[in-house]
Every structure is written in structure tokens, then in C-alpha cells.
Amino acid sequence: MEYPIHYGLEKAGLPLILTTDNPKNLCFLIDTGSTNDVIFDFVYQHFKDYFTLTGDSQSIMGIDGALKSTIIINANLQFDDLKYKAPFAVLEANDAIIQVQAETGIQIHGILGTPFLIENKCLIDFDKLIIKSNEL
């Protein structure tokens, strides 16, 4: 997979990728500093039928730097030809997301962190503004 990130970088200054299948057009931030994959709670509430509760929970550091308890769900997401099945923490971060949307006009639905990057052997090429995965 080679996925372009130039649009997100140009519009919001952020490396963003979109899902291409159900749920379609969810916008994820690629965050090399995040130790978790995250779905924001408003997305989970709206698309519950696409996710499976695991019954697990964990504490993660939120966007504001405070420790937050989260439920864990399993999600099946598709980015072009790359199908990704993984646990996601459901995080309430409405204030931060509203601020990003107000500043950029783009709504972010979640974060793909190091678990996504490692599992899919992804490399971010900032010269070509693409994410490459050797999994395909």
C-alpha cells in the first residue's frame, strides 16, 4: 500500500488517512508518538454496529495529558487495499477535536498509533508524502 498524506498535511498540517470501506471516510491521524490506536467516543457512539466490545478497559493518557479510563473495542477498518483489524481505545476528546475542526475544517475520528505502524510495517516517506506498507 502507498497512501498519500499530502492532502491532510496541506489542509491541516497533519498526516491523515481515510477509511475506504464501512464505515467509510473516517479520518485518522497518524501519530508516531501514540502507543494506542484510538477511536473517539462520538464515532463509537454513532457507528457501534461496526465495532465489537471486548469487555476490557485500560487507562491511557488523553490528548490533554491526563490519565483517562477507556473501554476497548475491536475494529475492522480498510485503507485502500490494507485491511486492519485491531483493538482500539475509545477516548473522549471532544474539546480537542472541536478545536482541530474549527481551526482546519477537518474532523478527525481517531488515531492510528505505533501498533498500526508496526503491525503493517509502515514507513512514512515525508519526501514523497506517502505512507508505505510492505504488508501487501
Side-chain angles (χ1 to χ4, degrees):
M1 172 186 85
E2 285 192 3
Y3 197 93
I5 56 173
H6 62 84
Y7 178 79
L9 288 170
E10 289 170 4
K11 295 293 184 187
L14 301 168
L16 304 170
I17 65 173
L18 300 175
T19 57
T20 53
D21 202 5
N22 295 325
K24 194 171 184 177
N25 294 324
L26 294 183
C27 182
F28 283 85
L29 170 68
I30 299 293
D31 185 351
T32 59
S34 178
T35 57
N36 298 85
D37 293 326
V38 173
I39 295 264
F40 296 124
D41 69 334
F42 71 94
V43 177
Y44 171 69
Q45 294 301 326
H46 188 74
F47 292 106
K48 278 186 178 180
D49 293 344
Y50 292 98
F51 307 122
T52 306
L53 277 170
T54 65
D56 296 330
S57 64
Q58 72 182 78
S59 293
I60 65 171
M61 188 168 300
I63 293 171
D64 59 1
L67 202 60
K68 299 189 180 209
S69 180
T70 65
I71 62 170
I72 304 299
I73 60 160
N74 283 325
N76 295 309
L77 301 174
Q78 186 167 335
F79 305 95
D80 283 341
D81 295 332
L82 177 65
K83 293 181 180 178
Y84 183 57
K85 180 180 181 180
F88 282 75
V90 178
L91 180 66
E92 189 281 315
N94 294 339
D95 292 340
I97 299 309
I98 290 169
Q99 183 176 347
V100 169
Q101 185 173 352
E103 291 175 8
T104 66
I106 296 172
Q107 186 176 69
I108 298 173
H109 300 106
I111 297 170
L112 297 174
T114 53
F116 172 81
L117 296 169
I118 290 169
E119 182 165 327
N120 294 293
K121 298 177 178 78
C122 290
L123 298 173
I124 301 174
D125 185 333
F126 285 102
D127 288 331
K128 295 180 182 175
L129 298 179
I130 58 173
I131 296 174
K132 296 179 186 180
S133 172
N134 294 329
E135 283 295 290
L136 299 175

